[in-house]
């Protein structure tokens, strides 16, 4: 972009918040001793390291399963799929052995596992079985899910549609099973209802059952007193509370939304301008905008309870009374807002969250000096909570989610409780996917890949 930006292809293996430095290691030795280690000082640090695979300490997973986190994982999976077909094509292999070799098992029935199962099914039935027709009858795909349904984060209508489509496609769904061990040729699963253990032979296994914390993040969390957490905690301005100059975005972090009940006394004092010990509806409305900015759960709670304005919410503390003459004391104010924090939710570990956080943080840095003179934040509540900044807190806006199901079909759950499934939704997914590319170059490359696949099929060469 022509900006003064330096890029280093290296791994950060330690963050030192005391000295405000990061320790890095290059894959290519550049120092005199050849180890490629170097250190960078920082004024502001943005941690966006993502997450790693969470195996839940299941024996054999790291040694025998493929994962869906890095580009290298995709290359290994592609090679393993081709290898399975080549092994099954060797003469003198029994039918039982062919069924085992061509049994592809996906562990985890979330959006990632379902999308991979759908893409793998299309790759096998549309391309590979044409090249290996003699062993096409032995191909099988199985999804192992610990819950009772796949896509449990989606609307139930989508989960039912996906399950019925997979059954028609011949993809086996083993729901209610937990993987307890993985060996080089079989997976031991345990039925959650009966407790019976079963061996599932396989040729290739994919683990897509959760995300975990990277070691460098774990070490940093221990340094700043967050050792018992699963992810790096930030405030609503995406800043790590224990470090003034460290911010975190993406899957490596989670936002700890401040609860309104923790600051209820401060809010009451700020709103009570005449120090009367009571609040009128006008006094509450004067600080309502700042309250909604600082505590978004207020708006969410009012929306979930179908409340028109703040007066409807306050009624819970004082009973049914005339809006114009409404007056509340501190105890009634607490009673009215005591259930608001039930709407505090963690943001999901998805790409759209990370993208919105990136745009937000970049915008905050760009206008940092401007906001010193023209602050945007909840100005009347500067003393409530920790980490007040001069700009508005981050507010995640959910734009919906897609689940490609293969066979040129997809399912979508969009804001407003709008659910769509089928072929038309797949074309909507194509358009959204292309629009989210970072440049016109990548858009053209992606669309050209889709066009080439439609005409000539997928490339089956081993990379």
């Amino acid at each position: 972009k022509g900006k003064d930006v330096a890029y280093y292809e290296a791994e950060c293996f330690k963050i030192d918040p005391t000295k405000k430095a990061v320790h890095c290691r290059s894959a290519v030795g550049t120092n005199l001793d050849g180890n490629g280690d170097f250190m960078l000082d920082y004024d502001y640090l943005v941690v966006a390291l993502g997450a790693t695979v969470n195996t839940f300490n299941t024996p054999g997973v790291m040694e025998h399963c493929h994962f869906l986190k890095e580009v290298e994982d995709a290359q290994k999976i592609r090679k393993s799929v081709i290898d399975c077909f080549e092994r099954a094509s060797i003469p003198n292999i029994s039918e039982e052995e062919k069924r085992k070799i061509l049994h592809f098992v996906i562990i985890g029935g979330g959006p990632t596992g379902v999308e991979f199962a759908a893409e793998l099914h299309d790759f096998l039935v549309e391309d590979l079985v044409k090249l290996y027709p003699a062993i096409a009858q032995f191909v099988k795909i199985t999804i192992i899910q610990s819950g009772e349904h796949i896509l449990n984060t989606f609307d139930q209508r989508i989960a039912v549609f996906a399950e019925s489509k997979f059954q028609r496609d011949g993809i086996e769904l083993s729901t209610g099973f937990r993987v307890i061990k993985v060996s080089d040729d079989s997976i031991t699963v345990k039925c959650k209802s009966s407790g019976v253990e079963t061996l599932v032979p396989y040729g290739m296994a994919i683990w897509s059952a959760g995300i975990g914390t990277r070691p460098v993040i774990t070490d940093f969390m221990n340094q700043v007193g967050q050792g018992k957490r699963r992810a790096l905690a930030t405030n609503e301005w995406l800043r790590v509370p224990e470090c003034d100059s460290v911010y975190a975005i993406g899957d490596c972090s989670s936002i700890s939304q401040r609860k309104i009940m923790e600051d209820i006394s401060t809010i009451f004092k700020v709103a009570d301008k005449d120090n009367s010990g009571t609040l009128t509806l006008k006094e509450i409305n004067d600080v309502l905008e700042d309250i909604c900015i600082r505590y978004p759960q207020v708006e969410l709670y009012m929306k979930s309870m179908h409340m028109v304005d703040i007066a409807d919410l306050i009624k819970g503390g004082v009973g049914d009374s005339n809006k114009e003459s409404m007056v509340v004391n501190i105890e009634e104010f607490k009673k009215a807002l005591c259930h608001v924090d039930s709407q505090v939710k963690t943001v999901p570990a998805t790409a759209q969250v990370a993208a919105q956080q990136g745009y937000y943080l970049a915008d905050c840095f760009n206008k940092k000096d401007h906001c010193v003179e023209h602050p945007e934040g909840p100005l009347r509540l500067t003393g409530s909570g920790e980490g007040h900044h001069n700009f508005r807190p981050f507010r995640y806006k959910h734009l919906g989610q897609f689940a490609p199901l293969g066979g040129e079909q997809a399912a979508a759950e969009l804001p407003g409780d709008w659910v769509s499934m089928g072929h038309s939704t797949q074309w909507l997914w194509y358009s959204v996917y292309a629009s989210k590319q970072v440049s016109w170059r990548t858009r053209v490359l992606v669309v050209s890949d889709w066009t080439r696949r439609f005409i000539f099929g997928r490339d089956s060469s081993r990379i």
Side-chain angles (χ1 to χ4, degrees):
K1 296 296 185 179
K3 302 295 182 180
D4 184 18
V5 176
Y7 169 77
Y8 305 103
E9 184 176 351
E11 175 190 6
C12 172
F13 64 88
K14 183 177 177 61
I15 300 172
D16 190 342
T18 305
K19 297 182 179 179
K20 299 185 74 171
V22 291
H23 298 261
C24 306
R25 178 175 296 129
S26 174
V28 181
T30 54
N31 297 345
L32 293 177
D33 57 1
N35 61 12
D37 288 8
F38 60 94
M39 188 170 65
L40 289 174
D41 298 325
Y42 66 83
D43 295 313
Y44 295 95
L45 176 66
V46 180
V47 182
L49 289 171
T52 187
V53 176
N54 188 355
T55 65
F56 304 100
N57 297 319
T58 306
V61 171
M62 294 299 298
E63 295 82 2
H64 305 296
C65 288
H66 292 279
F67 304 104
L68 297 167
K69 293 298 294 181
E70 313 291 345
V71 174
E72 291 79 5
D73 295 331
Q75 294 172 332
K76 292 176 182 177
I77 290 172
R78 180 189 179 94
K79 182 177 182 298
S80 294
V81 171
I82 305 300
D83 287 346
C84 286
F85 275 83
E86 290 294 344
R87 284 167 50 205
S89 300
I90 296 175
N92 303 323
I93 297 291
S94 66
E95 290 190 1
E96 181 181 357
E97 186 68 14
K98 290 179 181 180
R99 294 185 192 279
K100 190 197 81 170
I101 295 173
L102 295 176
H103 187 197
F104 301 91
V105 179
I106 295 95
I107 303 167
T112 304
V114 166
E115 181 175 353
F116 177 79
E119 289 293 330
L120 178 63
H121 174 267
D122 288 352
F123 183 38
L124 299 183
V125 302
E126 294 177 7
D127 300 282
L128 287 187
V129 295
K130 297 177 182 178
L131 299 176
Y132 303 89
I135 55 176
Q137 58 181 316
F138 304 114
V139 176
K140 181 181 178 182
I141 299 175
T142 299
I143 297 178
I144 299 176
Q145 165 72 341
S146 61
E148 295 303 319
H149 297 279
I150 62 174
L151 296 178
N152 51 20
T153 59
F154 281 72
D155 187 278
Q156 186 178 3
R157 291 168 288 179
I158 292 179
V160 172
F161 177 82
E163 289 175 355
S164 63
K165 183 186 183 302
F166 280 179
Q167 289 173 358
R168 293 194 304 270
D169 291 341
I171 299 176
E172 183 176 309
L173 301 177
S174 297
T175 56
F177 287 88
R178 184 170 63 90
V179 175
I180 59 176
K181 183 181 178 182
V182 179
S183 67
D184 58 348
D185 61 354
S186 65
I187 300 170
T188 305
V189 298
K190 184 177 182 179
C191 180
K192 296 174 68 175
S193 59
S194 64
V196 177
E197 295 185 5
T198 309
L199 281 179
V200 180
Y202 74 93
M204 187 180 79
I206 307 292
W207 183 271
S208 177
I211 58 174
T213 308
R214 292 185 180 274
V216 60
I217 298 297
T218 302
D219 176 68
F220 178 63
M221 290 165 60
N222 289 328
Q223 292 184 63
V224 299
Q226 295 188 19
K228 295 182 179 181
R229 297 185 58 89
R230 294 182 179 179
L232 185 60
T234 70
N235 59 21
E236 301 92 320
W237 289 271
L238 308 185
R239 184 176 68 81
V240 180
E242 296 82 3
C243 308
D244 289 336
S245 54
V246 179
Y247 297 80
I249 61 176
D251 293 356
C252 68
S253 64
S254 65
I255 300 174
S256 297
Q257 173 63 48
R258 184 80 175 181
K259 295 184 177 180
I260 194 169
M261 293 306 294
E262 296 175 354
D263 305 321
I264 195 71
S265 298
T266 302
I267 296 171
F268 188 91
K269 185 177 180 180
V270 169
D272 187 14
K273 295 179 181 180
D274 56 2
N275 296 321
S276 63
T278 59
L279 295 181
T280 64
L281 186 59
K282 182 180 183 305
E283 287 177 322
I284 297 174
N285 277 318
D286 286 343
V287 297
L288 180 60
E289 182 180 357
D290 282 350
I291 291 176
C292 291
I293 292 174
R294 184 67 179 87
Y295 309 95
Q297 59 264 39
V298 175
E299 283 186 324
L300 294 174
Y301 180 78
M302 290 172 60
K303 183 178 179 180
S304 67
M305 300 301 292
H306 306 289
M307 296 178 178
V308 177
D309 52 27
I310 190 67
D312 292 335
L313 178 60
I314 299 301
K315 280 183 182 180
V318 299
D320 192 6
S321 62
N322 187 282
K323 290 185 179 182
E324 301 300 329
S325 60
M326 185 181 296
V327 177
V328 296
N329 58 32
I330 181 66
E331 294 303 323
E332 292 170 334
F333 193 58
K334 289 180 179 179
K335 183 179 178 182
L337 299 176
C338 64
H339 298 297
V340 167
D341 288 328
S342 64
Q343 294 297 312
V344 174
K345 296 180 175 65
T346 58
V347 295
T350 59
Q352 66 171 305
V353 172
Q356 290 183 30
Q357 289 176 334
Y359 281 117
Y360 165 82
L361 202 55
D363 184 55
C364 291
F365 282 129
N366 288 335
K367 63 185 182 183
K368 191 173 187 297
D369 294 336
H370 173 77
C371 285
V372 172
E373 298 180 1
H374 307 281
E376 299 177 346
L379 304 182
R380 297 177 184 85
L381 303 177
T382 54
S384 64
E386 181 184 359
H388 168 72
H389 289 258
N390 291 321
F391 35 79
R392 288 172 175 252
F394 171 74
R395 182 79 66 89
Y396 168 59
K397 183 179 180 181
H398 184 61
L399 302 177
Q401 52 187 349
F402 284 84
L405 302 176
E408 295 303 314
Q409 295 192 57
E413 183 180 356
L414 302 179
D417 195 31
W418 188 68
V419 172
S420 176
M421 296 165 283
H423 294 282
S424 60
T425 309
Q426 177 70 16
W427 286 99
L428 178 61
W429 179 84
Y430 281 139
S431 61
V432 171
Y433 191 95
S435 67
K436 293 299 181 181
Q437 300 303 308
V438 297
S439 68
W440 277 105
R441 175 181 177 273
T442 52
R443 289 190 187 100
V444 172
L445 289 174
V446 167
V447 174
S448 64
D449 283 342
W450 288 337
T451 305
R452 192 162 55 248
R453 175 175 63 84
F454 278 125
I455 299 173
F456 302 107
R458 299 168 181 81
D459 184 11
S460 59
S461 60
R462 184 190 284 109
I463 298 178

